[in-house]
Every structure is written in structure tokens, then in C-alpha cells.
Amino acid sequence: MNDREILTSYVYKMVVALMQNGVEDVVISPGSRSTPLAYAFASTKSLSIYRQVDERSAAYFALGIAKAKAKPVVLLCTSGTAAANYYPAIVEAKYARVPLIIITADRPHELREVGAPQAINQISLYGERVKWSAEFPIPDEANVTLPYVERHIARGVSIATSAPLGPVHFNVPFREPLLIDFQEELEAPTFRNSYVGQIMPSQAAKDDLTAIINQTKRGFIIVGELALGTDLKLMWSFIRKVKWPVLVESLSNLRANIPEDCEQYLISTYDALLKNTSFKQQVVADTVIRFGAQPVSKFLTNFLIETLPTNYIVIDEDPMFRDSAAVSTHFIHGTIGEWISELNIDTSEFSGEYLLQWRKSEEIAVKHILSYPTLEHDEGAAVRYLIENLPSGSDLFVSSSMPIRDIDTFLVPTDKDIQVFANRGANGIDGVMSTAIGFSQARKNRDMYLLIGDLALLHDVNALIATRYQPCKINIIVFNNDGGGIFSYLAQSTVKEYYEDLFGTPTALQFVDVAKMYEMEYIQIKDFHEIDKLLEPQNNPLRLIEIFTNRQENVISHRNLWQRIHGELEQ
């Protein structure tokens, strides 16, 4: 075979192997060195191809698709700093447990570290931020090359999709020339299937968990953001059996579409309740069981540190289990499966008064949250209005910082089908809009709303470039409080001399021209009395709604809510 035929066989072998192992989506950024693979992907009609010229945005875009589908998504870029721009999203994928298959094209070995253009050391470029990385061979005629490539891809995708999910990296060097012969039909793979197993706790672990539950008089369950693809029916089954208070974070997606027989156990307002000292004293628990990631609430974390439950059981799919407060007493290694609904549970020892204390307090807090927009006209009131009026069947993607905290405060249990998502692996505000746009590509049967702050949107304005290459539909709601709103709640706000310059960081920017640049429908809300504009009929698949708010007023209004809740709790 000549060089072109060798290169053609090589790149199509990679495509076939990726598809054989479950890849359906590929996000490509333009570049010369990645040309052979870009051609092979683009010419394979059974793949969904997405384009984004900004590599940082492209990586978050792919992250969004992978989060939505709970399936591996391929990222492809050229060599050099293009590959380095993937790094923030890879960090998020690592800690959020999202399966990305990163393919970085590279210069051949003879052009590395000798001053050749667009050549950096890409071997193990992402370090420990990926679950595994591999350097592929230069395309050649050796009999072992293609079988090696095919099976390494099977290994990589298996690693990315085994618990805990996460990113893997393939570095693929190519020599020029970079053109290939397009193939209409792909060769059948020689490696047939890779079956990834589920992690089942040992019988000893299940016995110990059952014994602790059956002996507990005062306990509660925490459910944070769950692993991608978790069957929520299994969680509902466990809740029915245990009958304890269940502190459900908004990202658990257990606050909406709730089975009627589980409503009495759900506690959504725990962050507000645990700000109250007397309430905390009344609900000290013997046992706490946590599924998923640690919730956003700092007050819940502090409560656990202060009270140190006798049993704090973390159930996690990763042996490097998450326990930032260092209060766990037991760890159970397992994915959420049928086993949690098969435990032989007897809760006759459990205190009904303890559940009632949580339940009464939840009802008090919910009452004040529901009435909030009639008393306050800040970002929280806008969030509550949005939640009340979102159509069933909507997805709400939320930025880190204040938006996710407001959703956690103002999303109380509802029978509507609303699902909430965010980038909480590393909790950054970069890449949020790109992730949301990618997420919406994989769930086109649902309406997508993005709630974001002005600084987070500025961090990721290039996300909108993707809308020029593939049809997108999204409602972007930006709170423009001219700076970093969350810092107004922190101790930094008391040092007035440096606060605005270092933390408030006002930009005096508005987004009307951004909307115009990308031909978006634009709605401006400068007063809460205009809030009904928020859910006007959408005339354009792309809509940007800019709500102008005041940071200091937000702080005062939120604290008023907490005082009202605390006042009635004290009674």
C-alpha cells in the first residue's frame, strides 16, 4: 500500500473502533494536523458531527452532550495550544465523572522538541486529570498496528465508561501528506464487544448497612448529584422502604416529578433550616446516608462537622469516595442498582417525631419561599417566578456561584417534570454556556433554559459561535448585577477599600450587542414588574433575556427570607 492508503486504513479503523464501542457524537475544531481523522469522522454518515472553532468552548460543548446522554463523546483537535485549550473542560469531566474521549492530533516524533511550529509535548498532556492516556503509533504497514489501535480504543472507551466515568486521552501523530481516500463502506471490526460491569457491594457491606438502618432512631438521607445514567426509580424505591427524611439537592433531580407516596419524606429547604441554631439542636442524627456528590449547601456540611453522626455512610462508585468534611464512618463501594431496593429493612425503631420535626419545618420554609416574589423583587424572586412558570418537560442548566444556590433555595418539590443540571465537578464559572448548548443538542425533545450570571456569560461568549454551525435552541437568562454577586455574601465584602476592585469587579457591560451579533431574540428586564417578559412566546430558537439586578439588594432580600423562616421556627 502507498502512504495515502495506509493513512486511510488507519483513521477509518479508529472510527470503526470508536463506533463499535458506543461513540455516536464527535465534536471537531478545525486544524491541519487533525485533517485525516476529521475527514474520516465527517464522511461517516452514522455519526453526529458538531463543529466549534474555539477549542475551550468545544470541549465544554462535548461535555454537555456526554452529560445529557451519559455516553462517551469524542473531541478532536489539532496539535499545540489547541490541545491545551481542552484542559478546563477535562478538569470538569474528571471531577464531574463525565466520559470524554479526547483525541489530539500531533506532529510526528522527529518534529517534537526541535523547534518545529505548533509542536508541544502532548504525551500525558493532561496528567492525572484523565483516567488514562495513550500515545498511538505513526500509521504504517506493520501487521500489529491496526489491531493495536482497535483494541486500545476499546480499552480507552471501557475505562471512560466504567465507574467512575471520566475522560481518556489518545495522542495520535500524523506525518504529511494528510489527505485520505474517502470510504463509503466501513470494514467490519475484528474486536466485537467490550462489556463493562456494574459495581455491586459485598454481602458484608449490605448486611452492615441493613443493620445500621434497622437500629437507627434518628437519621436522614442525603442525595446529591447522582452518577450519569442513574435510574431514579431505584432511589424512590429505597426512600419508600427507609421512610427517613431525605435531604434532596436540586441536582439530584428528586425535587420534581415526585411519586405521591414519597412526597412526605422530601426535605428541600435544609440549607435555610440549618442556618437556625435551635433547629439544628433538634435534628441531630445518629445516622446519615449519602448518595451522590456532596450538596452545594455549606450549612449542611458545617452541620455534619459540628454534630459528627455516629454513622455517616457514603455510598459511592469510586474507591476515592467523596468526603470533603472528613466525617464519614463507613464507605460502601457500589453503583446505585437493584440492590438498594432489595435490602431487608425494618424501620420500627425509627422515631416518627424526628421525621415530623423535619416535615413541619420544611412546610414552614416552603411557605415563605412560595410567598417570596410578593415581598421581594431581587434575583431570588426572578428565580422563583421562573420555576413556577417553566413548562413541564423543561431542562434548566444553571451556572455555578449564585445561580445554583438560588435554584437550591427556591426550587421546592413540584409535580412538574423539570430537570436541573450544572457543572459542579470543579464548580467553575467557565464553559457554562458551552456545556448548556451541547446539552441541548442531545435533548432536543425538551425545552432548554440556561440561568447564568454576567461574569460567567462573559467567560464563555465564544460558546455562541457553535450556533453558527449547527441548529441550536436555547433560552439564556442572564442576571446582570455588574460583577461577582456571590462575594457580597462573603467576608470579603466587609473590606470596602478593596472589595469592588478585587471581588465585585464591575464591567459596566450589557449583552444587547452580543444578541445582535448572533441574531438572537433579545429581551431586557430592568424592573421586577416586567418579569412576565421572562416566559413570553419564543420567536427565535436563540433567545437572550437580560435581567438587571442589584447585588446589595439581593443580599438584603435573601437575608430577610432567612429571618422570616427563622422567626417562625423559633415560635
Side-chain angles (χ1 to χ4, degrees):
M1 291 194 295
N2 60 37
D3 289 343
R4 183 161 174 157
E5 291 170 337
I6 292 170
L7 182 58
T8 298
S9 296
Y10 185 98
V11 293
Y12 278 110
K13 178 63 73 174
M14 290 185 67
V15 170
V16 168
L18 287 163
M19 292 172 60
Q20 182 68 16
N21 286 277
V23 168
E24 301 170 346
D25 303 278
V26 181
V27 180
I28 300 174
S29 296
S32 177
R33 194 58 52 163
S34 52
T35 295
L37 266 173
Y39 278 153
F41 284 130
S43 62
T44 302
K45 304 306 180 188
S46 51
L47 288 172
S48 295
I49 305 299
Y50 304 91
R51 295 170 293 156
Q52 171 58 293
V53 299
D54 182 318
E55 283 86 6
R56 187 178 80 157
S57 177
Y60 279 108
F61 184 95
L63 180 85
I65 298 172
K67 282 178 75 81
K69 299 181 77 168
K71 289 184 177 181
V73 174
V74 165
L75 265 171
L76 174 66
C77 73
T78 190
S79 62
T81 56
N85 277 293
Y86 280 166
Y87 193 76
I90 291 170
V91 171
E92 175 64 24
K94 166 71 172 179
Y95 290 103
R97 303 180 179 179
V98 179
L100 291 182
I101 312 299
I102 302 108
I103 302 178
T104 54
D106 201 355
R107 262 51 181 171
H109 303 76
E110 66 271 14
L111 294 182
R112 299 176 184 174
E113 302 299 312
V114 293
Q118 209 170 330
I120 65 172
N121 184 357
Q122 296 179 195
I123 299 175
S124 299
L125 177 63
Y126 307 114
E128 295 181 356
R129 302 300 178 260
V130 292
K131 293 182 70 178
W132 185 57
S133 63
E135 163 84 345
F136 275 29
I138 291 282
D140 61 24
E141 284 191 279
N143 292 334
V144 297
T145 299
L146 295 185
Y148 171 90
V149 166
E150 191 174 14
R151 282 148 188 82
H152 249 40
I153 285 174
R155 293 182 182 100
V157 178
S158 293
I159 291 169
T161 54
S162 60
L165 310 184
V168 299
H169 172 215
F170 297 137
N171 193 58
V172 187
F174 295 115
R175 289 194 179 100
E176 293 180 334
L178 300 170
L179 299 181
I180 65 169
D181 297 318
F182 292 103
Q183 292 186 352
E184 292 294 328
E185 294 186 12
L186 302 180
E187 292 184 8
T190 61
F191 183 84
R192 300 292 196 285
N193 278 304
S194 181
Y195 298 99
V196 176
Q198 290 187 329
I199 300 170
M200 177 73 71
S202 67
Q203 189 59 49
K206 291 188 284 186
D207 290 345
D208 200 15
L209 176 62
T210 301
I212 290 171
I213 291 173
N214 291 348
Q215 294 165 15
T216 294
K217 292 181 170 58
R218 297 161 60 88
F220 59 83
I221 300 164
I222 299 172
V223 187
E225 184 177 17
L226 298 169
L228 299 182
T230 298
D231 185 351
L232 296 184
K233 292 178 182 177
L234 297 171
M235 286 304 312
W236 292 125
S237 176
F238 183 75
I239 290 167
R240 287 188 189 96
K241 294 191 73 169
V242 178
K243 298 181 174 62
W244 290 4
V246 187
L247 282 54
V248 286
E249 187 186 37
S250 55
L251 294 176
S252 71
N253 284 313
L254 294 178
R255 291 194 191 179
N257 206 15
I258 304 162
E260 189 174 341
D261 59 345
C262 293
E263 291 177 358
Q264 60 186 310
Y265 307 116
L266 296 193
I267 308 297
S268 65
T269 62
Y270 53 86
D271 182 78
L273 298 175
L274 293 173
K275 290 180 173 73
N276 184 278
T277 301
S278 60
F279 175 79
K280 288 192 293 185
Q281 293 170 349
Q282 296 172 50
V283 295
V284 174
D286 308 321
T287 299
V288 176
I289 303 171
R290 197 193 80 219
F291 296 90
Q294 181 68 26
V296 172
S297 172
K298 183 183 293 186
F299 288 90
L300 174 57
T301 299
N302 289 342
F303 175 64
L304 296 170
I305 294 171
E306 292 164 8
T307 58
L308 292 176
T310 304
N311 304 297
Y312 184 91
I313 304 165
V314 177
I315 299 172
D316 200 302
E317 67 270 17
D318 188 355
M320 186 62 72
F321 60 93
R322 295 166 289 195
D323 177 22
S324 60
V327 294
S328 58
T329 61
H330 298 72
F331 162 63
I332 295 177
H333 188 204
T335 52
I336 295 173
E338 293 289 347
W339 67 272
I340 67 169
S341 59
E342 296 170 352
L343 300 174
N344 187 21
I345 292 172
D346 175 8
T347 58
S348 57
E349 292 294 315
F350 192 76
S351 167
E353 285 298 317
Y354 184 75
L355 173 61
L356 190 60
Q357 180 67 45
W358 276 103
R359 189 70 243 153
K360 286 182 176 178
S361 302
E362 164 83 353
E363 290 169 1
I364 288 170
V366 166
K367 178 183 68 175
H368 288 287
I369 288 167
L370 293 179
S371 65
Y372 188 85
T374 65
L375 301 172
E376 311 290 349
H377 295 156
D378 68 332
E379 291 178 12
V383 168
R384 183 60 217 161
Y385 179 88
L386 173 67
I387 292 168
E388 285 178 359
N389 291 280
L390 274 182
S392 190
S394 296
D395 288 337
L396 180 59
F397 207 95
V398 188
S399 178
S400 290
S401 204
M402 274 310 297
I404 185 61
R405 286 167 173 80
D406 272 342
I407 289 295
D408 216 43
T409 297
F410 293 101
L411 175 59
V412 295
T414 174
D415 58 2
K416 290 197 295 188
D417 175 15
I418 299 171
Q419 296 191 34
V420 181
F421 304 90
N423 284 346
R424 294 298 294 175
N427 299 351
I429 64 168
D430 51 340
V432 173
M433 188 154 55
S434 294
T435 311
I437 293 173
F439 194 98
S440 70
Q441 292 292 307
R443 289 164 67 104
K444 292 182 178 179
N445 60 322
R446 297 175 67 89
D447 292 327
M448 166 58 75
Y449 294 83
L450 167 63
L451 185 64
I452 192 168
D454 55 321
L455 291 186
L457 195 152
L458 286 170
H459 264 275
D460 200 25
V461 167
N462 275 4
L464 293 169
I465 298 172
T467 68
R468 310 304 291 175
Y469 301 119
Q470 45 267 320
C472 299
K473 184 178 180 182
I474 188 170
N475 292 274
I476 299 169
I477 302 164
V478 54
F479 285 138
N480 191 340
N481 55 32
D482 198 20
I486 193 169
F487 295 109
S488 300
Y489 295 83
L490 305 180
Q492 291 92 323
S493 64
T494 63
V495 184
K496 304 298 183 184
E497 183 179 1
Y498 296 105
Y499 176 71
E500 283 297 305
D501 285 346
L502 296 179
F503 301 100
T505 55
T507 64
L509 293 173
Q510 299 181 15
F511 296 102
V512 59
D513 289 328
V514 171
K516 187 180 299 183
M517 179 186 297
Y518 289 100
E519 300 175 322
M520 306 175 73
E521 179 184 357
Y522 176 78
I523 296 174
Q524 186 181 89
I525 299 175
K526 288 195 170 183
D527 185 275
F528 187 77
H529 297 295
E530 304 174 310
I531 198 66
D532 56 349
K533 293 181 181 179
L534 194 61
L535 291 171
E536 287 182 353
Q538 191 170 353
N539 300 315
N540 183 327
L542 299 173
R543 177 159 65 176
L544 194 154
I545 303 171
E546 186 169 14
I547 304 177
F548 292 90
T549 61
N550 181 282
R551 283 185 260 139
Q552 192 55 40
E553 287 179 8
N554 286 335
V555 175
I556 293 169
S557 296
H558 280 67
R559 288 175 176 164
N560 287 342
L561 170 64
W562 302 331
Q563 288 171 6
R564 289 192 290 270
I565 293 172
H566 295 174
E568 190 163 351
L569 286 176
E570 293 296 336
Q571 293 174 19

